[in-house]
Amino acid sequence: MTEPSGAERDPKAVSKFVESFAAQLVEAGMQRMSARVFAALLSSDSGTMTSVELGEQLQISPAAVSGAVRYLAQVHMVSREREPGSRRERYRVHSNQWYEALTNREAIMKRWEDALREGVTSLGAETPAGRRLAETLAFFEFMESELRAMMERWRVHRERHFGDG
Amino acid sequence: MTEPSGAERDPKAVSKFVESFAAQLVEAGMQRMSARVFAALLSSDSGTMTSVELGEQLQISPAAVSGAVRYLAQVHMVSREREPGSRRERYRVHSNQWYEALTNREAIMKRWEDALREGVTSLGAETPAGRRLAETLAFFEFMESELRAMMERWRVHRERHFGDG
DNA sequence: CGCTTCTTTCACAAATTTGTGAAGTTAAGG
DNA sequence: CCTTAACTTCACAAATTTGTGAAAGAAGCG
């Protein structure tokens, strides 16, 4: 089990990583096929794969690839690009994928906040329940601004350590 | 639809909040019954409810309550306490529930990190794929320490604005 | 245009998840 | 101890989700 040297990639090793990382994503709530596709892209040297390549490596149908990619694109974890002069599409992981994913997370929090705000007014801001909801709401608003600042710090940190991949 | 004054709680209003907030949690990946139970607790004045109360308000079986509560307790979003001298159990939302939930989130990230570390060594730290995994790993490690600091800031912020409920 | 190559959509079978009633377990209070 | 109230576990039916093959839909290329 020594480190691969140079050009060769051990499909076994790749597959092992793909499946174990995907399993963790699934456990955290991601759909299985999306998780596997994402892990495969993440562990590819170029950071891009075609639909066919994904289907072959993961042993899944074109339909499954299509569904997985649609979801991943929707949450901005993968982008699609057309190979010039070809009907073949390439799917790519962003270097700032996590930034995108977190930004997307904010949209979800916004909807939570909306529901909470409604709850505060309808239950009454001065009732114990209303106060609890208000505090919860405040927490999310706090988190939102903190996350923004945090991502900016990451951008800086990353540039220092990894250059601008 | 004016603000409720004093003692009365409008079950319709409570239920509306419970269902709409729960729906958002479900959309973010939480199981339906757990989401509903959590929302019900969150919007109760005392912050606690018994199994029977939950079953009645949400129109679900004792078995469903049991399952939902088991999950919520596991992820530290709810705690169980025995009413002294009774076989009745009370379920309670913590005031620092979100702190707990996020701490729990860290456990998940740790497992992601483990999978990534293995990937880096097995694919080779100097391969393009290995470098991408390493950067991803660095991001999670960064997030972890930032989250810790953020929660400490929230603790302070909260105390200033809400006292130590 | 029409052929060819990819991708997406659709209907369906298989697998999984969900919530229930009923039986089982635990513990308080006689 | 025995009764009984409360919670949990279990087996199952219903509902939902998942992934596929097949058909339909785009888009390059001649």
Side-chain angles (χ1 to χ4, degrees), chain A residues 44 132 135 153 158, chain B residues 44 132 135 146 153 158:
Chain A
S44 69
R132 185 178 309 105
E135 183 181 324
R153 286 195 291 278
R158 173 178 179 279
Chain B
S44 69
R132 185 178 310 105
E135 183 181 325
E146 287 277 321
R153 286 195 291 279
R158 174 178 178 278

Side-chain angles (χ1 to χ4, degrees), chain B residues 29-40:
Chain B
M30 191 183 286
Q31 295 162 348
R32 184 200 317 250
M33 289 295 131
S34 296
R36 295 180 72 210
V37 165
F38 181 72

Side-chain angles (χ1 to χ4, degrees), chain B residues 16-35:
Chain B
K16 192 181 164 209
F17 167 75
V18 167
E19 297 307 331
S20 77
F21 190 60
Q24 297 303 328
L25 295 177
V26 168
E27 202 155 336
M30 191 183 286
Q31 295 162 348
R32 184 200 317 250
M33 289 295 131
S34 296

Side-chain angles (χ1 to χ4, degrees), chain A residues 24 62 92:
Chain A
Q24 297 302 328
R92 149 166 282 136

Side-chain angles (χ1 to χ4, degrees), chain A residues 88-152:
Chain A
R88 195 175 285 153
E89 203 132 31
R90 300 194 73 74
Y91 307 114
R92 149 166 282 136
V93 283
H94 278 124
S95 52
N96 59 337
Q97 52 193 254
W98 301 108
Y99 179 90
E100 295 289 345
L102 275 214
T103 301
N104 186 252
R105 213 71 196 164
E106 275 186 29
I108 295 174
M109 295 211 322
K110 283 261 193 256
R111 291 209 304 279
W112 291 11
E113 289 173 22
D114 290 343
L116 286 167
R117 248 185 296 273
E118 272 218 34
V120 172
T121 39
S122 85
L123 298 190
E126 295 316 320
T127 65
R131 270 192 288 275
R132 185 178 309 105
L133 297 190
E135 183 181 324
T136 304
L137 176 56
F139 175 77
F140 284 120
E141 288 169 341
F142 176 81
M143 279 281 289
E144 235 183 288
S145 74
E146 288 278 320
L147 274 180
R148 246 189 296 281
M150 183 193 310
M151 292 314 296
E152 180 54 23

